[in-house]
Amino acid sequence: MTGATTGRLREISRRTALGALGAGIVGATVASWPRLSGSDIPGRGDNSLSIAIMGTAADAAARQRAIDAFTRLHPDIRVKVQAIQAVDWKDFFTKILTMVAAGTPPDVVYVATEGAQLFADKLAHPLDEYLRRDAADMAEFFDDVHPSLVEAFMYKGSLFQLPMDWNAANMYYNTTAFAQAGLERPADDWTNVDFRNSLAAMRKARPSDFTPYYWTNRLFGGVVPWLYANDTSFLKETRSTGGDWLWDSFYAKDPSRGLRSGGYQWLEPNADDPRVFETFDYLRGLVKDGLGVRPEEGGGSSLVGLFASNRIGTTPAGGYWVQGLHEAGMKENDYDVAFFPKWRTQRHQFGTAGYAIMKTAKDKDAAWEWIKFSSSREAMELIFPNPVTTPARRSMVNEALYSGKGPAHWKVFYDTLDKFPTTGPIPAPPQQAAVETALMKNVSLAVSGDERQLKQALESMQRDLELALRRQS
Amino acid sequence: MSTTTPRRDRAKQAKPATTQTLKPATPGTSQTASGRHSQRWLAWIFLAPTILGMGLFTLVPIVASVVLAFFRWDIISAPTFVGFDNFAEVVQDPTVRVSFLNTIVFVIVAVAFQLGLALALAVMVQEKMPAWLRTFFRSAFFFPLILSAASVSIFMRYLFNEQFGVVNWFLSFAGIPAVPWLTTPGGSAAVVILVYVWQNFGFSFLLFIGGLASIPAETYEAASLDGATGWRKHTYVTLPLLSPTTLLASVMAIISALQVFDQPYVLTRGGPGDSTRTAVMVIFESAFQRLEFGQASAIGVILTLIIMAITAAQFRLSKRFVFYQ
């Protein structure tokens, strides 16, 4: 018994000793090693400037000419573009956050309005110091870009991105459907009542297999343009102070200088505003009378094809549609674009996008050089050779860009900013994803049932928005 | 404790045999012992990659997610210990509660349809069809399972579009007005269940096919001699003898259905309202959209406990309802 115990003890102690030694080595290695991340994988942590854009490998390849031009100017900076496929901007930001969590954040990210404040609040580095330093070089850019687009990237008095492209929610219409219904091109100041009458006329002319108004349930082009036109929103919009350094440097003589601020703020929900109810009730009426569809959540990907198949009368969209419609076979006279209808105001909704430097960027100076180069006319012409979006530079929105593709009234795109200077960005606070979910999940219910269901949906929206804004604040 | 006892027993049993056969050659004994020792090391060496992989990619993430449930963490800032706050907030969150309720309802309806359909088709294919056709249907019914759930859901989204979808186009021939499949709570729930069942019943179908094939023909012959007809044979022979397969199929179907995500996320994004929002969707939204990784982990822990409880209950109940041959 004693001998057996001694033998077993000797065996166990040897194993224990070996195990303890192994565990000790592993433990000591782990403890002494800085946090392992994706960049520790051989080949990942090189010194090139990594730029993340939303899109496919083809989109990354399309930027190659711009990269080549940049490399000629800055041979010491290696640029690597990562195209990240995503359903929408929310999905794209999710993937960027995953890269951050994995320890492989890109140095520069192409961020749209939907994520501008999320990045400004948590992830991005302000451009202020660079703009002050290179003010003389940048003056030409700001001369060519509307200040509303720049203001969308101001956050608490600092500028985090330069707008590269943008799109307003204008109203596309099918010219054949309008003609069949005996309708003329809408006036620039057509109203929501005129709009409804136009839909009714189209419905009368084409009773089946045709949708006079097709819209989707999302942050851009969904219910928000109607809320803006009715001089309200689902979030209370305020402005922060600051930013005078930028406005005084670059927009001192602009007629809208007095309107400019240190950036938009959306701190409180506003779904209980009577005008929000009124707006939803208007849309509910369109659905109820068969003039507009019940919007699906998300959607939008199939919209170009549906519009090009001549089965949609009107839909809100921006300049980004032109190339898609052209490729889908629409001739330039088959469709046209008008301003969004007027209600209490004719304030439009827009979204813009530009590069943000990440706080974690290894070489922020190199990142700024990329942004500065990308904002040049030369680079923007290389990046946007076709009307896949509206370039931020006014001088690039010209006849040549739309020639042979339409629409006839392409000037509507940039005139939206000039004629309606209060036109504002998509409401997207740092809690954008939660806010968007809170909005979207209640829209379908709000416009699908009776007045009681609408009230319940807006109450639910108000609660969800309160919760969304409270989180992370 | 439990592992040392058998090893000791084995050692006791082995010792006399070695002593008897290799009595004159004492070195032989030590060779066998060292051989066994090196075999043990060899086994560990071969097992090491799997153990390491399981440890790194399964065990560590499980432990990490449980630990994370007690922290507030947004990826960007340092995590803060918050005790049970995440669990308290999750329990009070109406969206989380609704999503769990939706998930339970989904599991009940979807699993019932999945198993019912799979069983019916398996019996039909196994008993009524010639061998060549049986082979075809086995592959055909399994085929949807190998497709990407996201791709299938995108495709189905087009089919069920209210205005332009093929489903409503076909229904229009029967005089049925356009059904708002994806924009009403009832319609969207029905489509999510339909798409899920269509894509997943093939797995249960294959399990049932295997189970049916393993029932001995003599049992049916004996039942026939006793005067049992088709339906009675199914009730008193097929179903009882298939019960172990049914248990396996139901356990797997329930675990899978409790984790449903792709179909509702792509088809409806959880809407309209919260009508198709599921537990895993809320985990995803909490973590990657609201950056509340602690809360997401807390929901994950609760969901895991629910899955474990349901599975344990199934196995406990199986003692009463499952018959082994």
Side-chain angles (χ1 to χ4, degrees):
Chain A
M1 183 75 181
T2 315
T5 310
T6 314
R8 199 164 65 245
L9 277 174
R10 195 170 57 234
E11 190 182 42
I12 289 168
S13 64
R14 193 172 65 235
R15 284 181 186 172
T16 309
L18 281 170
L21 184 67
I25 291 168
V26 172
T29 310
V30 169
S32 61
W33 202 306
R35 187 187 159 224
L36 281 169
S37 70
S39 61
D40 292 307
I41 297 169
R44 290 240 184 124
D46 62 14
N47 287 323
S48 56
L49 183 71
S50 65
I51 297 162
I53 59 165
M54 184 168 89
T56 61
D59 294 312
R63 276 177 163 70
Q64 193 54 50
R65 288 202 302 156
I67 294 169
D68 294 342
F70 176 75
T71 310
R72 280 195 293 276
L73 273 177
H74 300 279
D76 52 322
I77 304 173
R78 279 183 55 215
V79 174
K80 185 172 69 182
V81 174
Q82 293 174 274
I84 295 166
Q85 290 198 53
V87 179
D88 51 26
W89 284 106
K90 190 166 71 171
D91 193 27
F92 173 72
F93 302 141
T94 298
K95 290 177 179 178
I96 296 292
L97 290 168
T98 312
M99 292 168 78
V100 172
T104 54
D107 298 315
V108 177
V109 184
Y110 200 68
V111 180
T113 323
E114 284 90 333
Q117 294 205 351
L118 166 70
F119 277 72
D121 197 55
K122 293 180 185 295
L123 298 162
H125 181 79
L127 304 179
D128 304 1
E129 57 182 306
Y130 296 112
L131 285 167
R132 285 193 175 105
R133 190 188 73 189
D134 296 345
D137 296 340
M138 296 307 297
E140 182 271 337
F141 170 79
F142 288 108
D143 277 350
D144 205 13
V145 174
H146 197 281
S148 291
L149 303 178
V150 177
E151 192 179 9
F153 288 141
M154 291 288 282
Y155 184 66
K156 296 181 179 173
S158 287
L159 190 70
F160 284 83
Q161 295 167 252
L162 296 181
M164 297 287 128
D165 71 306
W166 71 286
N167 290 283
N170 297 122
M171 191 64 79
Y172 276 66
Y173 64 94
N174 185 303
T175 49
T176 311
F178 259 53
Q180 283 174 345
L183 297 167
E184 299 282 322
R185 172 180 164 72
D188 282 355
D189 60 348
W190 66 328
T191 65
N192 61 318
V193 177
D194 298 332
F195 178 72
R196 192 192 152 90
N197 291 340
S198 303
L199 301 185
M202 282 189 280
R203 167 57 69 220
K204 201 174 168 187
R206 292 181 65 174
S208 66
D209 194 27
F210 180 79
T211 302
Y213 180 54
Y214 197 98
W215 60 302
T216 52
N217 182 9
R218 51 182 176 170
L219 212 45
F220 179 83
V223 71
V224 179
W226 289 107
L227 293 169
Y228 277 18
N230 200 17
D231 201 19
T232 186
S233 182
F234 66 99
L235 297 175
K236 281 181 186 151
E237 183 183 294
T238 55
R239 312 276 184 102
S240 60
T241 54
D244 290 334
W245 64 272
L246 183 124
W247 304 121
D248 291 340
S249 301
F250 299 110
Y251 291 98
K253 291 177 188 166
D254 191 273
S256 66
R257 165 67 185 90
L259 292 173
R260 305 303 158 197
S261 68
Y264 289 84
Q265 290 183 132
W266 297 278
L267 304 173
E268 289 175 58
N270 195 41
D272 57 0
D273 180 11
R275 287 184 189 177
V276 172
F277 179 89
E278 186 182 28
T279 311
F280 271 94
D281 200 35
Y282 172 82
L283 292 167
R284 189 177 69 88
L286 297 184
V287 172
K288 194 176 132 207
D289 296 340
L291 303 176
V293 295
R294 256 185 285 255
E296 287 180 16
E297 295 211 6
S301 54
S302 56
L303 200 47
V304 168
L306 290 174
F307 189 81
S309 69
N310 294 312
R311 287 188 289 174
I312 291 176
T314 57
T315 192
Y320 61 93
W321 252 34
V322 176
Q323 184 68 18
L325 292 178
H326 173 68
E327 286 168 8
M330 275 203 125
K331 302 280 184 297
E332 58 182 314
N333 293 323
D334 290 345
Y335 71 99
D336 207 344
V337 64
F339 291 118
F340 204 80
K342 184 180 176 182
W343 197 326
R344 282 187 168 86
T345 73
Q346 206 164 357
R347 184 187 197 212
H348 282 58
Q349 176 199 29
F350 74 82
T352 178
Y355 293 104
I357 301 175
M358 297 289 272
K359 278 179 188 165
T360 50
K362 299 175 286 289
D363 187 348
K364 292 187 178 66
D365 291 345
W368 164 247
E369 289 305 329
W370 169 259
I371 292 177
K372 194 173 148 188
F373 169 76
S374 298
S375 68
S376 68
R377 171 117 191 201
E378 177 202 359
M380 286 175 80
E381 281 178 344
L382 290 171
I383 294 168
F384 307 123
N386 294 311
V388 290
T389 184
T390 314
R393 282 177 171 271
R394 185 194 311 268
S395 61
M396 286 176 63
V397 184
N398 53 32
E399 183 73 46
L401 188 65
Y402 299 101
S403 175
K405 293 174 181 171
H409 293 84
W410 53 266
K411 282 187 179 171
V412 159
F413 296 136
Y414 220 101
D415 282 353
T416 303
L417 296 173
D418 291 329
K419 289 196 176 179
F420 311 108
T422 59
T423 286
I426 295 165
Q431 307 91 332
Q432 177 268 339
V435 162
E436 187 177 346
T437 302
L439 171 76
M440 282 170 58
K441 73 187 229 186
N442 292 296
V443 166
S444 287
L445 290 177
V447 300
S448 298
D450 55 15
E451 201 175 301
R452 197 173 57 88
Q453 185 170 314
L454 167 57
K455 272 183 188 163
Q456 284 172 347
L458 292 182
E459 282 166 13
S460 165
M461 189 187 293
Q462 181 77 4
R463 272 197 311 273
D464 292 336
L465 288 170
E466 272 169 15
L467 197 62
L469 290 168
R470 200 182 334 140
R471 281 170 166 152
Q472 302 166 29
S473 56
Chain B
M1 274 301 272
S2 59
T3 50
T4 52
T5 312
R7 199 185 300 144
R8 202 164 57 226
D9 292 346
R10 278 200 305 275
K12 276 180 186 170
Q13 286 161 8
K15 201 171 180 181
T18 313
T19 322
Q20 278 171 8
T21 50
L22 298 171
K23 204 172 182 180
T26 318
T29 314
S30 66
Q31 261 182 358
T32 311
S34 73
R36 259 206 313 275
H37 190 67
S38 61
Q39 269 187 346
R40 201 177 298 144
W41 273 106
L42 202 63
W44 279 114
I45 288 166
F46 279 112
L47 284 170
T50 309
I51 291 171
L52 200 68
M54 288 280 284
L56 274 177
F57 299 111
T58 306
L59 196 65
V60 171
I62 288 172
V63 173
S65 71
V66 173
V67 171
L68 198 55
F70 297 93
F71 285 83
R72 182 153 288 147
W73 189 45
D74 66 356
I75 289 184
I76 302 150
S77 330
T80 322
F81 182 75
V82 291
F84 283 92
D85 284 5
N86 285 329
F87 290 93
E89 283 172 26
V90 159
V91 170
Q92 286 166 12
D93 189 330
T95 306
V96 175
R97 286 207 300 263
V98 168
S99 69
F100 270 89
L101 191 66
N102 288 343
T103 308
I104 301 289
V105 173
F106 174 83
V107 168
I108 293 168
V109 179
V111 170
F113 272 113
Q114 182 179 333
L115 295 183
L117 183 69
L119 179 60
L121 289 172
V123 170
M124 205 169 73
V125 167
Q126 191 69 8
E127 293 181 1
K128 309 280 181 198
M129 290 189 179
W132 65 273
L133 209 54
R134 209 181 299 161
T135 312
F136 168 75
F137 277 111
R138 276 180 196 169
S139 308
F141 290 147
F142 192 75
F143 181 68
L145 199 66
I146 61 171
L147 299 174
S148 143
S151 308
V152 166
S153 303
I154 289 170
F155 180 68
M156 292 291 181
R157 196 178 164 127
Y158 284 104
L159 293 187
F160 285 98
N161 182 284
E162 183 182 351
Q163 279 73 36
F164 312 107
V166 175
V167 174
N168 277 350
W169 183 70
F170 277 117
L171 291 177
S172 70
F173 292 118
I176 298 170
V179 180
W181 292 108
L182 297 170
T183 50
T184 52
S188 51
V191 172
V192 168
I193 290 170
L194 192 74
V195 173
Y196 179 86
V197 170
W198 176 79
Q199 202 174 7
N200 287 280
F201 84 93
F203 185 70
S204 309
F205 169 81
L206 274 197
L207 289 178
F208 284 128
I209 285 279
L212 288 168
S214 69
I215 298 174
E218 305 87 65
T219 316
Y220 285 111
E221 286 166 13
S224 299
L225 288 172
D226 288 342
T229 55
W231 184 248
R232 279 180 165 255
K233 272 191 208 169
H234 282 303
T235 313
Y236 294 108
V237 179
T238 308
L239 287 182
L241 292 182
L242 205 57
S243 56
T245 311
T246 310
L247 173 69
L248 176 67
S250 65
V251 167
M252 298 195 78
I254 287 173
I255 290 175
S256 167
L258 278 166
Q259 298 174 67
V260 63
F261 173 78
D262 312 50
Q263 290 85 359
Y265 183 73
V266 177
L267 282 163
T268 63
R269 295 285 169 114
D274 287 320
S275 59
T276 52
R277 202 169 304 278
T278 64
V280 179
M281 274 183 78
V282 176
I283 293 175
F284 172 78
E285 288 169 354
S286 297
F288 293 104
Q289 294 183 354
R290 297 206 304 260
L291 302 182
E292 288 168 348
F293 281 78
Q295 279 198 10
S297 294
I299 303 168
V301 168
I302 294 170
L303 183 65
T304 307
L305 292 176
I306 289 174
I307 291 175
M308 286 168 72
I310 291 175
T311 309
Q314 278 184 287
F315 277 105
R316 203 173 171 80
L317 284 171
S318 73
K319 287 174 186 164
R320 293 168 64 186
F321 299 109
V322 176
F323 306 95
Y324 293 97
Q325 293 174 57

